[in-house]
Amino acid sequence: GQNIDQPTEMTATEGAIVQINCTYQTSGFNGLFWYQQHAGEAPTFLSYNVLDGLEEKGRFSSFLSRSKGYSYLLLKELQMKDSASYLCAPLDSNYQLIWGAGTKLIIKP
Amino acid sequence: GAVVSQHPSRVICKSGTSVKIECRSLDFQATTMFWYRQFPKQSLMLMATSNEGSKATYEQGVEKDKFLINHASLTLSTLTVTSAHPEDSSFYICSARDVKREGTYEQYFGPGTRLTVT
């Protein structure tokens, strides 16, 4: 079967760094997306990893290890507006996104 | 670039009526569009994949006669919820792939439609 495992909720302090982990099991693999979703809104694209390693994009970085079925999203210099759900979504062999329930990130002042 | 719109953003309808939701790619062409529904605090659930000029591919457990999908052009897909019932109340989100960026498999999401059936 296909499975995505992320923590349900995390709390961090404004200005700090937080790492959101994701492990996955899919039928085939064609890369992994991270999306941000604010409450009541649609997801917005953050990153796409298809090769192992770290991809850095401003305050956000995403890491992938295909052999371990593992990815993480690293958020630096946290801002209050970063409070949202973060969705890890691998692409399976049919190039379909497999969605988990996401990690709700709460930022405290 | 890569903007997807949905209309309406919110709709309230009575049980037994039908509701049509439009999804448009505003600045790109999309041969493939996706329809999702999302219940509170749950993950996105793919309902169907819509391909321009052909029939939609529905996920297991999704009634194709109840959720009618039409993808008549490269910029427009519609989802019609027929004979709506209160359990159909949900957040419906569409997404689209840019035909010129198919190899990236990125999906651009619309803002979603909040459907409430009374």
Side-chain angles (χ1 to χ4, degrees):
Chain A
Q2 313 214 83
N3 185 60
I4 312 298
D5 193 22
Q6 295 178 243
T8 305
E9 188 173 295
M10 298 181 71
T11 302
T13 305
E14 190 176 14
I17 299 173
V18 71
Q19 178 174 312
I20 302 174
N21 296 320
C22 169
T23 56
Y24 61 88
Q25 291 177 307
T26 55
S27 303
F29 180 77
N30 284 294
L32 185 143
F33 287 86
W34 282 94
Y35 281 86
Q36 179 191 61
Q37 186 177 25
H38 284 99
E41 298 180 13
T44 55
F45 170 81
L46 289 177
S47 67
Y48 173 59
N49 293 63
V50 65
L51 299 176
D52 289 350
L54 186 68
E55 296 266 350
E56 298 186 72
K57 191 184 293 185
R59 294 190 298 116
F60 293 5
S61 302
S62 55
F63 171 85
L64 176 67
S65 170
R66 290 172 295 173
S67 62
K68 295 181 179 178
Y70 168 69
S71 175
Y72 68 73
L73 181 69
L74 189 71
L75 294 79
K76 302 177 184 177
E77 301 170 19
L78 286 170
Q79 301 175 10
M80 298 303 292
K81 67 179 182 179
D82 297 330
S83 292
S85 288
Y86 291 85
L87 311 175
C88 163
L91 269 173
D92 70 5
S93 58
N94 293 320
Y95 295 94
Q96 286 228 25
L97 284 172
I98 308 301
W99 297 92
T103 298
K104 182 178 179 181
L105 178 63
I106 300 169
I107 309 298
K108 294 187 175 180
Chain B
V3 179
V4 176
S5 70
Q6 267 184 257
H7 178 79
S9 57
R10 289 179 181 272
V11 57
I12 300 172
C13 70
K14 292 186 177 180
S15 189
T17 61
S18 295
V19 174
K20 180 185 281 188
I21 302 170
E22 290 188 352
C23 177
R24 293 181 185 271
S25 57
L26 298 185
D27 52 0
F28 65 97
Q29 293 184 326
T31 51
T32 306
M33 289 185 170
F34 303 87
W35 286 97
Y36 294 89
R37 66 189 296 182
Q38 187 177 33
F39 293 106
K41 299 184 180 181
Q42 294 188 22
S43 64
L44 289 163
M45 187 195 84
L46 179 65
M47 299 175 67
T49 301
S50 168
N51 296 296
E52 187 266 338
S54 64
K55 291 183 179 180
T57 302
Y58 289 81
E59 295 300 301
Q60 195 171 12
V62 178
E63 299 175 61
K64 60 182 179 181
D65 294 331
K66 179 170 181 63
F67 299 100
L68 301 178
I69 291 172
N70 184 278
H71 193 157
S73 77
L74 286 172
T75 59
L76 173 65
S77 177
T78 61
L79 168 68
T80 302
V81 183
T82 62
S83 187
H85 291 288
E87 56 264 32
D88 298 324
S89 298
S90 187
F91 191 46
Y92 291 86
I93 310 173
C94 75
S95 69
R97 281 190 188 148
D98 186 340
V99 67
K100 291 183 180 178
R101 294 171 53 82
E102 285 280 338
T104 66
Y105 302 102
E106 181 178 346
Q107 295 182 23
Y108 303 99
F109 285 84
T113 296
R114 178 76 58 192
L115 171 63
T116 303
V117 184
T118 60

